[in-house]
């Protein structure tokens, strides 16, 4: 039962498997915007992590608790003051970056609290998104399921944008996985990849 | 009030303890009694027990009602019962009247065996730690080695926290609701004014009013009125009473004119008719003294290093007596000590009183947490 859940999750969320592959057994993990806690549960069961989530929505808090993962109800953009510097091995922002208002401050907070940061986000440079815009419409897809007037996404970006951001903000990218569905997009990733996952640390 | 999913008829039990209890103050109580109620069934390995700790004016009658007094419904009946968040079909739930209380456990109004008179002011000043020690003896008596959970709101939450520190091995989960790791100066100040009202009542007689067959009703009433203001939110008061006038017009007098005045006096009178003034003093002192960091140079991280339990911490947005910030102060040392901890902040308009009222998110959080606790019990 448990195994099936994990297998199903891995299939539905290819970024989960990519993230899990980077996390060693027993690491301390903070998941910002953890939703219903499925990533933390995935990491707990596959990596035995000591994990905490931060989430604001009531329904998600209840879902996390039901999932047996630790969750702190708070607005992650009001700061991570609760968390000591260097208190986590990894701070994860999974499919949340594009919905944050104060993105720069948050990335810096991630790297204050964590030794490394991991983000995953929908690649706005994915060819299907480009085609939508080319034909004059904002993209609506599996990765970007919202209408323009009803979306939490305020800071969409491409792989190039994110990498330029890192270079300009003393953030050192350690590793990158680009996926389209469960497939890895190795060739022309900024065009052919729909989801990007980055692992990074404080740069010099 | 619907009693369809009530635990139904309950009755209080009494336990006598003859091993002297040494208080934190070094005072000793040679004998004492605790009254308590239990709901549900203790499982074979006695792993499904939940202790409910009460707050300032609470007691052991937590759920259900009495056969001879069906209107006397337990103070947390909305939370505890069959199919409720604290599910008595799954858990063995214990409510206990704290030592120093005035609902049957040994307290200031009990007869002191040495003098044959009520203890009155002779009853030792009690702390949260002392309560936890006395509750542990009740657990021993019931054969409970380890609680599945200790649950409490406000002053009850402090006891739940203290359980994880005094007896780390004896509690698997702590549910600390609308509470704080210590009172602020402002909070102590409220308690001091409440105590001053009682202490300055001419009928108080230095705590020995029983001998004079009087009750410091005025002081107790004022104390409760003040307390009550701090348990409500500004919004709820505005909503409930606004500037409503009882007679519909201003009388230019010092009588009761505004509805809020009438309400507070009613609450004060009701409370003063049954609550013991000495118990009120003791309870507020226990609140003031609670400070687990005190023995660790003020470092709460060190204080919680001994805790082994998992924690659920809950606060309410409009609670200004025990604000969400105070709950964060509990969460932080737990995070630093890598305890399992979840924290929910309930959007509620009802101030500190919220923890006693039904609320969908609050109850969902409690239910989903306790369902997992129950699944650990065979």
């Amino acid at each position: 039962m448990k195994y099936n859940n994990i297998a199903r999750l891995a299939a539905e969320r290819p970024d989960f498997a990519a993230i899990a592959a980077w996390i060693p057994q027993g690491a301390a993990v903070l998941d910002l915007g953890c939703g219903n806690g499925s990533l933390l549960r995935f990491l707990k069961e596959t990596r035995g992590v000591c994990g905490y989530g931060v989430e604001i929505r009531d329904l998600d808090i209840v879902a996390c608790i039901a999932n047996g993962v630790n969750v702190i109800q708070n607005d992650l953009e009001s700061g991570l003051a609760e968390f000591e510097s260097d208190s986590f091995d990894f701070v994860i922002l999974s499919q949340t970056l594009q919905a944050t208002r104060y993105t720069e401050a948050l990335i810096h907070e991630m790297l204050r609290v964590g030794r490394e940061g991991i983000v995953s986000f929908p690649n706005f440079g994915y060819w299907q998104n480009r085609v939508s815009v080319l034909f004059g419409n904002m993209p609506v897809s599996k990765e970007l399921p919202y209408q323009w007037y009803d979306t939490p996404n305020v800071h969409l970006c491409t792989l190039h944008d994110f990498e330029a951001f890192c270079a300009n903000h003393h953030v050192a990218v350690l590793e990158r996985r680009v996926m389209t569905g469960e497939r890895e997009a190795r060739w022309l990733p900024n065009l052919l990849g729909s989801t990007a996952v980055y692992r990074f640390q404080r740069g010099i | 009030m619907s009693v369809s999913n009530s635990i139904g008829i309950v009755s209080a039990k009494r336990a006598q303890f003859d091993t002297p209890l040494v208080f934190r103050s070094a005072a000793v109580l040679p004998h004492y009694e605790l009254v308590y109620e239990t709901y549900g069934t203790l499982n074979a390995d006695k792993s499904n027990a939940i202790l409910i700790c009460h707050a300032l004016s609470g007691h052991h009658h937590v759920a259900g009602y009495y056969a001879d007094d069906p209107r006397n419904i337990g103070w947390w009946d909305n939370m505890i019962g069959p199919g409720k968040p604290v599910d008595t079909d799954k858990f063995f739930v214990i409510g206990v009247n704290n030592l120093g209380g005035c609902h049957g456990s040994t307290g200031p109004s009990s007869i002191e065996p040495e003098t044959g008179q009520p203890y009155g002011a002779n009853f030792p000043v009690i702390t949260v730690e002392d309560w936890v020690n006395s509750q542990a003896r009740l657990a021993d008596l019931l054969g409970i080695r380890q609680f599945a959970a200790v649950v409490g709101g406000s002053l009850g939450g402090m006891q739940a926290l203290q359980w994880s520190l005094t007896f780390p091995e004896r509690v698997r989960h702590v549910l600390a609701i609308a509470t704080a790791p210590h009172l602020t100066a402002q909070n102590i100040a409220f308690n001091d004014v409440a105590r001053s009202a009682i202490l300055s009542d001419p009928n108080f007689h230095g705590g020995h009013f029983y001998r004079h067959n009087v009750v410091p009703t005025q002081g107790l009433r004022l104390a409760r009125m003040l307390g009550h203001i701090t348990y409500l939110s500004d919004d709820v008061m505005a909503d409930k009473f606004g500037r409503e006038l009882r007679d519909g017009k201003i009388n230019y007098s010092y009588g009761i004119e505004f509805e809020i005045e009438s309400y507070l006096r009613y609450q004060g009178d009701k409370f003063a008719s049954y609550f013991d003034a000495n118990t009120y003093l003791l309870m507020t002192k226990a609140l003031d003294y609670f400070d687990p960091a005190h023995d660790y140079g003020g470092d709460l991280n060190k204080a919680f290093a001994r805790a082994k339990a998992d924690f659920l911490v809950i606060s309410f947005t409009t609670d200004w007596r025990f604000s969400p910030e105070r709950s964060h102060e509990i969460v932080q040392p737990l995070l630093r000590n890598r305890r399992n901890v979840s924290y929910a902040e309930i959007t509620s308009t009802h101030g500190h009183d919220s923890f006693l009222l039904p609320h969908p998110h609050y109850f969902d959080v409690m239910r989903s947490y306790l369902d997992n606790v129950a699944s650990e019990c065979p």
Side-chain angles (χ1 to χ4, degrees):
Chain A
M1 176 73 189
K2 224 175 200 180
Y3 181 79
N4 284 342
N5 274 338
I6 292 299
R8 187 172 50 76
L9 265 177
E12 272 175 24
R13 291 290 301 268
D15 55 325
F16 282 13
I19 291 169
W22 287 335
I23 292 183
Q25 203 70 29
V29 171
L30 181 65
D31 183 7
L32 304 176
C34 65
N36 63 11
S38 52
L39 174 59
L40 277 173
R41 175 130 188 226
F42 186 81
L43 295 175
K44 207 170 125 180
E45 291 181 13
T46 60
R47 287 288 181 270
V49 301
C50 166
Y52 300 88
V54 178
E55 184 51 68
I56 186 78
R57 286 185 59 224
D58 286 356
L59 284 175
D60 285 330
I61 299 300
V62 176
C64 283
I65 291 172
N67 254 327
V69 303
N70 298 311
V71 64
I72 309 296
Q73 187 163 24
N74 207 349
D75 179 5
L76 60 97
E77 299 220 56
S78 71
L80 304 178
E82 197 120 52
F83 303 100
E84 262 185 321
S85 296
D86 289 315
S87 54
F88 285 89
D89 298 315
F90 296 91
V91 179
I92 301 174
L93 194 63
S94 163
Q95 299 294 342
T96 304
L97 179 80
Q98 72 279 5
T100 58
R101 177 79 191 76
Y102 302 101
T103 311
E104 287 178 89
L106 187 59
I107 296 277
H108 280 125
E109 271 293 274
M110 285 175 74
L111 288 178
R112 176 185 67 80
V113 171
R115 210 163 40 76
E116 291 185 12
I118 294 176
V119 300
S120 70
F121 57 86
N123 173 25
F124 201 75
Y126 182 50
W127 68 269
Q128 287 186 359
N129 299 335
R130 298 190 196 199
V131 168
S132 283
V133 175
L134 188 68
F135 282 97
N137 293 303
M138 285 299 283
V140 179
S141 63
K142 182 166 170 275
E143 285 80 15
L144 297 168
Y146 304 100
Q147 295 292 338
W148 65 270
Y149 52 83
D150 184 28
T151 176
N153 299 334
V154 292
H155 284 150
L156 289 161
C157 67
T158 68
L159 271 60
H160 287 173
D161 293 329
F162 184 74
E163 285 166 25
F165 170 91
C166 290
N168 292 331
H169 289 80
H170 306 286
V171 174
V173 172
L174 299 170
E175 238 176 309
R176 181 186 79 184
R177 296 276 308 271
V178 187
M179 326 278 299
T180 307
E182 283 176 79
R183 250 179 334 99
E184 184 144 14
R186 290 179 201 277
W187 190 61
L188 294 177
N190 197 37
L191 184 66
L192 301 180
S194 62
T195 300
V197 195
Y198 284 87
R199 185 165 72 86
F200 53 87
Q201 66 181 21
R202 265 158 277 180
I204 306 122
Chain B
M1 164 102 39
S2 157
V3 290
S4 58
N5 55 348
S6 164
I7 186 73
I9 294 169
V10 299
S11 57
K13 304 175 179 91
R14 184 171 288 275
Q16 165 83 34
F17 299 89
D18 294 313
T19 310
L21 187 70
V22 182
F23 285 37
R24 199 177 154 93
S25 68
V28 178
L29 203 59
H31 314 274
Y32 60 93
E33 288 185 326
L34 293 176
V35 289
Y36 64 100
E37 291 180 7
T38 67
Y39 325 112
T41 311
L42 191 59
N43 62 5
D45 68 349
K46 301 183 175 184
S47 64
N48 70 332
I50 290 186
L51 176 68
I52 307 291
C53 301
H54 70 73
L56 201 154
S57 60
H59 43 70
H60 55 289
H61 184 37
V62 185
Y65 53 89
Y66 297 131
D68 59 354
D69 187 6
R71 287 175 54 186
N72 186 353
I73 295 165
W75 58 267
W76 219 2
D77 192 76
N78 58 26
M79 183 68 84
I80 299 161
K84 293 179 183 177
V86 181
D87 191 342
T88 49
D89 290 338
K90 296 172 180 166
F91 294 111
F92 178 69
V93 181
I94 303 166
V96 57
N97 184 212
N98 280 349
L99 215 48
C102 54
H103 291 88
S105 291
T106 302
S109 57
S110 309
I111 302 296
E112 187 176 7
E114 286 73 20
T115 63
Q117 294 283 322
Y119 282 94
N122 297 345
F123 197 90
V125 171
I126 197 159
T127 64
V128 168
E129 292 97 314
D130 302 328
W131 278 331
V132 167
N133 287 328
S134 69
Q135 291 160 357
R137 294 208 182 155
L138 179 63
D140 294 342
L141 189 83
L142 298 172
I144 296 158
R145 259 271 335 127
Q146 187 189 54
F147 282 107
V150 179
V151 182
S154 193
L155 177 56
M158 291 176 170
Q159 294 159 58
L161 293 174
Q162 187 61 45
W163 259 94
S164 73
L165 305 178
T166 306
F167 299 109
E169 313 282 352
R170 296 194 71 175
V171 52
R172 289 199 299 280
H173 296 271
V174 166
L175 282 71
I177 306 162
T179 190
H182 57 79
L183 290 194
T184 57
Q186 186 195 47
N187 232 324
I188 294 172
F190 282 124
N191 284 343
D192 184 49
V193 175
R195 282 192 296 269
S196 297
I198 293 169
L199 295 168
S200 61
D201 187 316
N203 281 344
F204 184 63
H205 295 288
H208 293 294
F209 51 88
Y210 317 95
R211 295 174 191 169
H212 299 81
N213 288 317
V214 291
V215 176
T217 313
Q218 274 307 315
L220 197 51
R221 180 171 175 264
L222 281 174
R224 183 59 169 181
M225 285 168 71
L226 174 71
H228 212 88
I229 297 168
T230 69
Y231 304 148
L232 300 179
S233 71
D234 193 16
D235 284 352
V236 151
M237 272 207 201
D239 234 39
K240 226 167 157 177
F241 309 104
R243 293 180 51 83
E244 290 291 313
L245 293 163
R246 265 185 72 185
D247 299 341
K249 63 177 173 56
I250 286 173
N251 294 323
Y252 301 98
S253 76
Y254 296 116
I256 300 170
E257 292 195 280
F258 291 94
E259 282 294 352
I260 180 64
E261 297 176 311
S262 161
Y263 173 80
L264 279 179
R265 280 169 174 74
Y266 169 76
Q267 291 293 339
D269 286 338
K270 196 173 79 169
F271 187 72
S273 72
Y274 71 85
F275 207 80
D276 182 83
N278 283 312
T279 292
Y280 200 93
L281 296 178
L282 288 175
M283 294 282 170
T284 57
K285 270 293 179 188
L287 274 162
D288 291 2
Y289 290 141
F290 181 69
D291 183 11
H294 181 264
D295 292 342
Y296 297 87
D299 189 340
L300 207 54
N301 295 330
K302 283 190 188 141
F304 274 105
R306 62 191 13 246
K308 293 201 162 86
D310 293 351
F311 291 78
L312 175 65
V313 180
I314 297 177
S315 73
F316 299 88
T317 48
T318 53
D319 183 353
W320 56 279
R321 189 98 197 239
F322 291 85
S323 69
E325 288 71 30
R326 311 305 321 285
S327 282
H328 281 285
E329 290 174 29
I330 298 167
V331 171
Q332 282 159 17
L334 295 173
L335 285 170
R336 280 169 206 183
N337 283 292
R338 292 274 189 263
R339 298 317 316 154
N340 281 319
V341 52
S342 283
Y343 166 69
E345 193 170 303
I346 314 296
T347 305
S348 164
T349 54
H350 292 280
H352 188 52
D353 268 351
S354 301
F355 86 89
L356 294 166
L357 301 171
H359 180 290
H361 181 41
Y362 174 32
F363 276 34
D364 285 348
V365 165
M366 291 289 286
R367 187 189 301 277
S368 58
Y369 192 89
L370 287 168
D371 279 354
N372 284 346
V373 175
S375 68
E376 300 164 3
C377 307

